[in-house]
Amino acid sequence: MAIRTVDFRSDTVTKPTESMREAMANAEVDDDVLGYDPTAHRLEAKMARIMGKEAGLFVPSGISTIGGVHPRTVKNNEDGTMDLDLIEAVIRDSSFEILSPTTRLIFLENSHSRSGGRCLSIEYTDKVGDLAKKYGLKLHIDGARIFNASVALGVPVHRLVQAADSVSACLSKGLGAPAGSVIVGSKSFIARIGVLCAADSVALQENLVKLEGDHRNAKILTEELNKIRGLKVDIATVETNIVYCHIRKGSKISRT
């Protein structure tokens, strides 16, 4: 029987499906500077509609979403949330702290990768949104795996990000596109290419429905890993598609 090797390092280890390759080969494209790329336009409009926002902007990598920002971090809890009073405590008073950067933005991640893919609830996100409005701030959600959070919580993605002014959603992780993220928000926020957008559109159409199965497989993987002497996974933390496996002290298992 043939042995198949599966790479579990990250959901970023993906390859485009045949339908994605076909879509890329046949993509209707244009120069996004001289004109406007129709494939990019369709993807941006679709993502904005799914997220319940006015407009979208395709970017090749989600890391390019936020730039020129001076961060002020808050320690998160095990479930990925940050205590609201701690967030409020680090908001700077611009009329007093004149030598420090002015607080303009609160930044959340959903699902929370460092917490093993834990999901931020609607109730929590809405409370952070209310806090942002109280101080005249914007709320941005890093939605690298927002579709995983939506599926795991059983909540429409547009409701999950309703409190946010802007959202960045990655299409190359759980959805399996070769590259690409879309930033969505108000028309005034989104400033104004198609080969990658064609594959991303296929990822939305074909792979979104597969995320629930990915989550089930992650739980199965967790159960099997816990049967191996020397390994430990906290099954309660596995809500989506991220599994953190810990090597017990004294184990002869190598970390590499």
Side-chain angles (χ1 to χ4, degrees), residues 95-107:
S95 64
F96 177 72
E97 299 182 77
I98 60 174
L99 298 180
S100 299
T102 302
T103 303
R104 296 293 189 197
L105 179 74
I106 298 176
F107 194 109

Side-chain angles (χ1 to χ4, degrees), residues 182-204:
V182 176
I183 310 166
V184 297
S186 65
K187 289 182 179 178
S188 60
F189 170 72
I190 299 297
R192 297 277 161 225
I193 193 222
V195 170
L196 288 177
C197 292
D200 290 343
S201 296
V202 173
L204 273 177

